[in-house]
Amino acid sequence: MARLRTVFWLGAGLAAMAALVAVTVDELRTSRLQSAFWRDLGRDAHFSMEAGPSDTIRFPHSGPYDARLGYRQLPEFIERLQARGYEVTQQARMSPRLIELHEHGLYGPYRDKNQAGLTVRDCRARILSQSRVPQRVYERFEQVPPLLVDALLFVEDRHLLDAQPAQRNPAVDPERFAKATLEQLHRAVGARQSASGGSTLATQIEKYRHSPQGRTVSIGDKLRQMASASLRAYQEGEDTQARRRQVVVDYLDTVPLAARPGFGEVHGLGDGLWAWYGRDVREVNRLLSDNAEGSPPSDEVLRRQAEAFKQALSLMIAQRRPSQHLLDNGESLARLTDSYLRLMAEAGVIAPSLRDAALQVSLQRQAGRPATPRPDFVERKGLNAMRGEVSALLGVPRAYDLERLDLEVDGSMDSEAQAIAARALAALRTPAGAKAAGLYGHHLLDPGNDPRHLVYSFTLYERGALANLPRIQADNIDQPFDVNQGARLDLGSTAKLRTLVSYLELVAELHERWAGRDASAIAAWPPSKRDPLGTWARDYLLRSRDHSLAPMLEAAMQRRYSAGEGEAFFTGGGLHSFSNFDRTRGGPMTVQEAFRHSVNLVFIRVMRDIVRHRMYGDEAAGRSMLEDPSDPGRREMLVLFADREGSAYLTRFHRKYAGKSPAEAEALLLKGVRPSAPRLASVLFTLEPEASEAQLEDLLTQRLGRGASSPRALRTMHKTYPGLSLADRGYVARVHPLELWLVGYLRRHPGATLTEALDASVQVRQDAYAWLFRTRHKNAQDRRIRELIERDAFAQIHRSWQRLGYPFASLTPSYASAIGASGDRPAALAELMGILANDGRRLPQQRVSVLHFARDMPYETRLEQRGAASQQLLAPEVAQAARRALLDVVNNGTARRLKDAVRDAKGQPLEIAGKTGTGDHRFQVIGRGGRVIAERKVERTATFVFTLGDRYFGTLVAYVREPHAAHYRFTSALPVQLLKSMAPQLLPVLQREGCAADRG
């Protein structure tokens, strides 16, 4: 009975084993079970695009492909964009099954893109640029030469395209997988042999696209790759023939082939042939497709076919260790390629004639970087501005990374108008082009001027209901540098516009503070005698019946100032004099007249009144400090002055003595000291506080040729001078005390940095200015307090300018800032014009309106700019008063050549307002009596900032730098004339329908 039981179980086991073998053999032959399994598993894994943010979306966490195309960084991008006023208007919804697969670590059954990149469109949805990485790809399987397909399958996956079974899983090659598993088991038990990989082309694609760092580091990684590839294989049904052909295309288009300087990462056979061999893949395809059926090729054709084939084959082989094979001397890759050529001929994959011809060819990599055409930067200025905006929005500083994102961007630029402007500016570099634009004449270019040296910059915005829309940003510099946004230029009298706005703002502040009070309260208001604006406001409110703001601003525009040049102005720590461009305008005139004709001296005096109000107005601390000697703020100001001026002197002295030995520093110091015993003693005991009498005697003998007059005199000096204060020793030596201190400090601390010296001298700087704190020096104190209060006043003015778009971190603390000394930037001036055009409101700038990521992918996200709320920065009455002044400049002033010069579509004159400015930046060396003894002309600029009708505003700048600047005399009439020439060409294009914008 026991024996019968044993036979039964043995038979049952053999039957079960036979059944398992039968099922396995059938599965290997038909892939019936796994095709059904993977088909059913991926059947409900899908996604769709719907309105609003999605709560059923998951983003990838790893993989070079997902990082390169930006999918992994999408949550960060979305967060950054939302913080900048963008909203998710559409986003993908993943099905529950797709989310489940993702959370199990699988990559999902969707079609990855072989080619993607940044696409930028203008306001009319025209494509401005389209980056595609890789650049050279196969769109369809039929485009791939059969010879390349056969070679790839022979090297990597020989059964991939077998016709039977039709349900074959491309993720698994049973033979290779079994062999690789056995080899891995041998290695696991200590056998010393190399293990081949079991990856098919399908799993290799999953690895280099989605696995961490594109590598397989564990069994789990390998199983994840195989499972993901299997899901993709059956996503369209059980028959995988079409999918397997697509695997060939996907692999050839995307296989990583190391990286090359000047090209970057190389992906795909097409880009690989170009980057490494300088071959056009289209030429390779043609060569390898010729004579596929027909007569044998000629010897020359065969040689060229062999070269193309060998280069392509070498890249298929190199992908296993691309950096090793492609970045070394190439010998190992050549040997491997030759070996495969022989094997392929033996297997009948290639003809012996092709093998023999290919073996005679040497693999010669392309020397140097692949040739790339130089971009035309003049034509790309607007596009580059948009790309720069996208780069800043996403926090992706490198253009290389930006171009590889799977991203579509819609912007506000009008590409047709931009092209017209770019061509017009480029044409101005020729005499014929400049003449056609009318740029030769009085206050323009002189007949002999060479127009090639002039740079022109033009920026134009359209005013929308919710945002300002940049339509044109152009210049004629054939370099990446953007004048509109990157330059700091002396834009001359356009600074008078900023000054005028500050002046009107102050009047509005005084109105807000006092206009609502009764006459007795206003009469009791005692403005400082040093505050002319406050005094005028008090007098105006006392005599005027209408206390509304608009009449007061108009009255302020009619205040009269002298335009005379006979006065010197103490500002910025020194005495300065200024002149008018038009010397005939020197008498008293109103602010409006001075703005109309751009009279410098009036605006110097207007700026002085603004500064004095900030210094001595009702709420200014300076008023009390200067009028009340007991004000505690005086000492604080003096301490601040000593610290600032002392730091400035130490900085200068450190430059003088840095890097010198103690002996060299002492010699340099003494070189500036007129030798006498007291002076030398003062120097010695600052440098060496513990110096002996013998050291003092040696110094006197060395510098004077004799020692002290007597031992008693020597003892007296040795006892007296060490006890003097640093300030007193400096006074005796006729050397700045901080210079003495610094030389001694560097003697004791060789190599000390400026920061270390400043940190060590905090109290020393106060001691050096101890004399200033004595009450008998009140006049000296007042002068220095005034300097600091003036600096603080300019700091307040700077903050008000910054609020209105001034782009720089500081303002020159001088009245000269009213006429351009602090510089400006064309784009910033345009922003100010936008605020004035919008009745004092700052609208957000909308250069990029839409960012659409990952189209047709499960991470697809569309964001649109909703814009921040507008900010009311100026009272509407202030903006309107400034606009009336700007209109007066065109109708009656320095820009009058534009009056009625531009007409709308109905033939009616278009209202133009603006401000002109001429900058003449030069360095002068002034001798005694104010005589100029040397001069260098650095830069000449001419600017027109304008509004064009009620929809457009912008700036136009012309400038020339040294050494050519000295040869030009043009004024702001130049950009005014240029706008007169360009506007009739631009307006019909700009006003054409179709630009995506809310014009209000």
Side-chain angles (χ1 to χ4, degrees):
M1 192 70 180
R3 184 176 179 182
L4 184 61
R5 189 180 301 112
T6 300
V7 171
F8 172 79
W9 286 113
L10 182 60
L14 290 172
M17 186 177 297
L20 179 61
V21 169
V23 170
T24 302
V25 170
D26 181 70
E27 181 61 20
L28 291 174
R29 185 172 59 83
T30 66
S31 299
R32 184 180 295 114
L33 296 178
Q34 58 183 314
S35 64
F37 172 78
W38 293 115
R39 179 203 62 203
D40 293 343
L41 183 63
R43 175 175 293 161
D44 295 325
H46 55 79
F47 60 90
S48 61
M49 188 71 162
E50 297 180 20
S54 170
D55 57 1
T56 56
I57 188 170
R58 304 292 185 272
F59 298 101
H61 302 298
S62 63
Y65 173 89
D66 300 308
R68 187 171 67 251
L69 274 65
Y71 304 151
R72 192 173 71 189
Q73 303 94 299
L74 254 174
E76 178 188 341
F77 291 160
I78 293 169
E79 184 178 352
R80 286 181 62 92
L81 290 166
Q82 287 175 330
R84 289 159 176 78
Y86 289 82
E87 291 181 4
V88 175
T89 56
Q90 289 180 286
Q91 198 166 35
R93 268 67 171 171
M94 291 182 172
S95 67
R97 174 56 58 84
L98 186 56
I99 292 175
E100 180 185 2
L101 294 173
H102 180 276
E103 291 178 349
H104 279 87
L106 301 184
Y107 307 133
Y110 51 84
R111 175 76 183 275
D112 280 332
K113 295 179 180 179
N114 289 350
Q115 191 182 44
L118 176 67
T119 298
V120 180
R121 292 186 288 259
D122 78 347
C123 65
R124 292 187 171 88
R126 295 191 183 109
I127 292 178
L128 302 177
S129 75
Q130 191 169 43
S131 301
R132 286 295 173 261
V133 181
Q135 297 178 40
R136 303 156 187 88
V137 297
Y138 295 106
E139 298 288 346
R140 303 183 311 278
F141 179 79
E142 291 72 22
Q143 293 177 339
V144 186
L147 189 57
L148 286 185
V149 175
D150 293 342
L152 176 63
L153 298 185
F154 184 83
V155 173
E156 290 294 340
D157 198 344
R158 298 186 185 184
H159 300 292
L160 176 65
L161 297 185
D162 288 356
Q164 293 299 326
Q167 301 97 329
R168 181 183 182 87
N169 186 352
V172 181
D173 183 330
E175 296 177 16
R176 294 182 65 185
F177 186 70
K179 181 182 177 184
T181 302
L182 289 173
E183 289 174 351
Q184 291 288 351
L185 289 173
H186 273 270
R187 290 187 67 187
V189 297
R192 293 186 177 181
Q193 67 176 74
S194 61
S196 59
S199 296
T200 62
L201 288 181
T203 55
Q204 285 187 54
I205 293 171
E206 299 296 329
K207 175 186 71 174
Y208 65 65
R209 276 182 162 171
H210 300 295
S211 290
Q213 299 180 338
R215 302 171 62 188
T216 303
V217 297
S218 67
I219 294 295
D221 284 344
K222 175 59 67 179
L223 294 176
R224 189 175 297 111
Q225 295 159 13
M226 293 174 66
S228 299
S230 299
L231 276 169
R232 290 189 206 276
Y234 296 103
Q235 69 185 98
E236 295 177 3
E238 295 185 16
D239 188 337
T240 62
Q241 293 180 89
R243 175 59 194 159
R244 284 182 277 147
R245 288 192 292 272
Q246 186 60 42
V247 166
V248 172
V249 176
D250 292 349
Y251 186 86
L252 288 174
D253 283 349
T254 63
V255 59
L257 295 170
R260 181 151 199 195
F263 190 92
E265 292 179 306
V266 183
H267 294 274
L269 182 67
D271 277 9
L273 286 166
W274 175 253
W276 295 110
Y277 295 113
R279 295 297 295 264
D280 188 332
V281 69
R282 292 171 298 183
E283 179 196 11
V284 171
N285 293 339
R286 181 180 57 76
L287 284 169
L288 299 185
S289 298
D290 283 352
N291 303 105
E293 296 179 4
S295 59
S298 65
D299 290 345
E300 176 58 22
V301 171
L302 179 61
R303 185 196 65 78
R304 293 172 61 198
Q305 285 178 337
E307 181 182 39
F309 179 71
K310 187 170 184 177
Q311 288 169 342
L313 178 62
S314 71
L315 294 178
M316 295 177 189
I317 297 167
Q319 65 82 24
R320 295 177 180 179
R321 292 189 177 92
S323 296
Q324 176 182 324
H325 288 314
L326 295 171
L327 299 179
D328 68 3
N329 57 19
E331 292 179 3
S332 63
L333 180 59
R335 285 195 302 271
L336 272 174
T337 305
D338 288 346
S339 175
Y340 268 96
L341 286 168
R342 296 184 183 97
L343 291 172
M344 293 171 75
E346 290 175 10
V349 177
I350 61 174
S353 59
L354 181 60
R355 173 201 60 195
D356 295 340
L359 288 172
Q360 299 302 313
V361 173
S362 61
L363 291 172
Q364 298 291 333
R365 292 191 204 143
Q366 179 176 214
R369 298 182 177 185
T372 54
R374 184 184 184 277
D376 186 328
F377 291 107
V378 173
E379 293 183 356
R380 292 172 61 89
K381 284 295 164 71
L383 169 63
N384 287 344
M386 284 183 61
R387 288 163 58 95
E389 178 82 0
V390 175
S391 177
L393 286 170
L394 301 182
V396 180
R398 294 200 313 166
Y400 176 88
D401 298 323
L402 189 67
E403 288 178 355
R404 282 154 176 75
L405 297 178
D406 185 9
L407 171 62
E408 300 170 24
V409 173
D410 293 343
S412 63
M413 191 178 82
D414 187 323
S415 61
E416 189 176 348
Q418 172 78 21
I420 292 172
R423 286 196 298 269
L425 297 185
L428 300 179
R429 287 193 173 274
T430 66
K435 186 175 181 180
L439 300 189
Y440 286 95
H442 184 58
H443 289 325
L444 304 172
L445 298 180
D446 293 331
N449 284 159
D450 187 346
R452 290 178 302 167
H453 304 306
L454 269 74
V455 171
Y456 295 93
S457 166
F458 181 47
T459 182
L460 186 76
Y461 291 79
E462 182 172 3
R463 186 163 64 96
L466 302 175
N468 292 328
L469 308 165
R471 296 301 190 202
I472 299 173
Q473 184 163 325
D475 62 48
N476 65 341
I477 300 180
D478 193 14
Q479 296 290 338
F481 179 73
D482 190 312
V483 176
N484 288 293
Q485 294 182 307
R488 182 170 190 160
L489 299 173
D490 177 355
L491 299 183
S493 292
T494 55
K496 294 186 178 83
L497 175 58
R498 293 197 185 276
T499 304
L500 178 69
V501 172
S502 292
Y503 170 73
L504 295 173
E505 272 195 288
L506 275 188
V507 173
E509 286 179 21
L510 289 165
H511 174 272
E512 183 179 11
R513 190 178 307 142
W514 293 104
R517 305 191 187 190
D518 59 30
S520 60
I522 296 173
W525 165 30
S528 169
K529 294 178 181 179
R530 295 188 178 95
D531 178 16
L533 264 182
T535 301
W536 172 84
R538 176 180 180 274
D539 294 345
Y540 172 84
L541 291 171
L542 284 174
R543 69 173 182 268
S544 174
R545 293 183 179 179
D546 186 349
H547 282 192
S548 59
L549 177 56
M552 187 171 180
L553 291 171
E554 182 57 33
M557 292 295 294
Q558 302 308 315
R559 288 184 67 219
R560 301 182 72 80
Y561 283 88
S562 168
E565 299 180 0
E567 183 180 2
F569 299 83
F570 189 87
T571 179
L575 202 61
H576 300 269
S577 59
F578 303 94
S579 60
N580 294 319
F581 177 78
D582 184 352
R583 297 296 177 90
T584 64
R585 298 186 184 278
M589 64 179 65
T590 66
V591 174
Q592 180 172 336
E593 290 173 313
F595 191 74
R596 177 191 307 152
H597 298 294
S598 202
V599 180
N600 288 345
L601 266 299
V602 169
F603 274 84
I604 292 293
R605 292 180 171 102
V606 169
M607 178 62 87
R608 181 173 63 182
D609 279 1
I610 295 170
V611 170
R612 285 181 173 176
H613 180 76
R614 294 300 184 196
M615 292 173 67
Y616 308 117
D618 296 336
E619 298 180 359
R623 178 175 178 177
S624 173
M625 271 187 268
L626 289 170
E627 293 177 357
D628 182 3
S630 64
D631 190 304
R634 285 178 67 89
R635 182 170 182 83
E636 293 177 13
M637 277 289 183
L638 294 174
V639 168
L640 179 61
F641 176 85
D643 186 71
R644 285 185 179 178
E645 185 170 279
S647 297
Y649 273 112
L650 276 175
T651 301
R652 192 168 73 191
F653 296 145
H654 191 272
R655 280 198 301 267
K656 180 178 178 181
Y657 292 103
K660 291 181 168 53
S661 68
E664 290 171 335
E666 181 180 337
L668 181 60
L669 175 64
L670 290 173
K671 186 178 179 180
V673 175
R674 192 171 182 179
S676 70
R679 291 173 182 172
L680 293 172
S682 295
V683 170
L684 175 64
F685 290 114
T686 305
L687 303 187
E688 295 283 353
E690 304 300 326
S692 64
E693 290 183 10
Q695 288 176 281
L696 177 57
E697 182 73 6
D698 289 344
L699 179 63
L700 295 177
T701 302
Q702 179 187 351
R703 306 300 297 187
L704 297 175
R706 64 183 185 280
S709 58
S710 67
R712 182 178 177 184
L714 184 64
R715 285 194 301 274
T716 300
M717 282 192 290
H718 188 269
K719 181 179 180 181
T720 301
Y721 286 99
L724 296 180
S725 68
L726 174 63
D728 288 341
R729 287 199 298 273
Y731 176 78
V732 171
R734 300 296 190 267
V735 175
H736 196 292
L738 291 176
E739 184 173 7
L740 281 177
W741 177 86
L742 181 68
V743 175
Y745 178 79
L746 292 176
R747 195 185 194 96
R748 295 184 294 276
H749 304 87
T753 65
L754 174 62
T755 301
E756 291 169 338
L758 290 172
D759 290 343
S761 64
V762 173
Q763 186 56 46
V764 173
R765 296 198 293 274
Q766 298 299 316
D767 295 343
Y769 287 86
W771 62 272
L772 186 59
F773 292 85
R774 297 170 189 148
T775 54
R776 67 174 182 270
H777 295 299
K778 184 178 183 300
N779 288 338
Q781 291 176 356
D782 287 349
R783 183 165 62 85
R784 285 159 175 81
I785 289 171
R786 273 195 297 271
E787 286 183 32
L788 290 177
I789 296 174
E790 184 188 61
R791 282 181 175 272
D792 183 66
F794 274 105
Q796 294 179 60
I797 295 167
H798 174 244
R799 287 192 291 272
S800 73
W801 283 22
Q802 275 193 315
R803 197 180 79 254
L804 301 176
Y806 186 71
F808 303 117
S810 63
L811 190 70
T812 302
S814 164
Y815 301 157
S817 288
I819 56 174
S822 291
D824 215 322
R825 187 168 282 162
L829 271 177
E831 182 178 357
L832 174 59
M833 288 300 285
I835 293 169
L836 298 179
N838 285 293
D839 278 342
R841 288 185 304 137
R842 173 192 273 144
L843 299 182
Q845 185 184 121
Q846 184 175 295
R847 191 181 298 277
V848 174
S849 55
V850 176
L851 295 100
H852 196 131
F853 294 91
R855 184 181 290 276
D856 298 326
M857 297 294 285
Y859 324 113
E860 186 173 1
T861 302
R862 179 183 175 92
L863 296 103
E864 299 181 16
Q865 190 181 56
R866 292 296 182 243
S870 63
Q871 298 173 279
Q872 191 72 46
L873 301 180
L874 296 172
E877 295 88 346
V878 169
Q880 291 157 13
R883 284 211 311 275
R884 287 193 296 273
L886 291 165
L887 186 62
D888 186 42
V889 170
V890 175
N891 288 339
N892 305 298
T894 54
R896 56 187 172 274
R897 70 175 62 216
L898 271 172
K899 183 179 180 181
D900 298 338
V902 181
R903 298 181 178 271
D904 62 19
K906 297 179 181 179
Q908 297 299 312
L910 203 64
E911 185 177 86
I912 303 175
K915 180 69 187 81
T916 58
T918 303
D920 186 17
H921 188 187
R922 61 183 72 193
F923 290 137
Q924 294 179 328
V925 179
I926 309 296
R928 289 184 178 180
R931 184 171 59 91
V932 177
I933 59 177
E935 182 177 73
R936 178 165 63 91
K937 199 166 184 180
V938 178
E939 179 182 272
R940 188 169 185 85
T941 63
T943 307
F944 186 52
V945 55
F946 60 87
T947 60
L948 196 59
D950 61 355
R951 279 171 49 182
Y952 301 101
F953 60 92
T955 55
L956 220 170
V957 178
Y959 81 95
V960 58
R961 292 190 59 81
E962 59 181 346
H964 309 292
H967 305 301
Y968 295 84
R969 299 184 302 167
F970 60 79
T971 69
S972 54
L974 191 67
V976 172
Q977 173 60 33
L978 182 54
L979 184 62
K980 181 179 178 180
S981 169
M982 291 173 61
Q985 304 174 58
L986 292 170
L987 279 174
V989 174
L990 290 165
Q991 294 175 338
R992 190 180 303 156
E993 295 301 322
C995 240
D998 178 8
R999 288 172 172 156

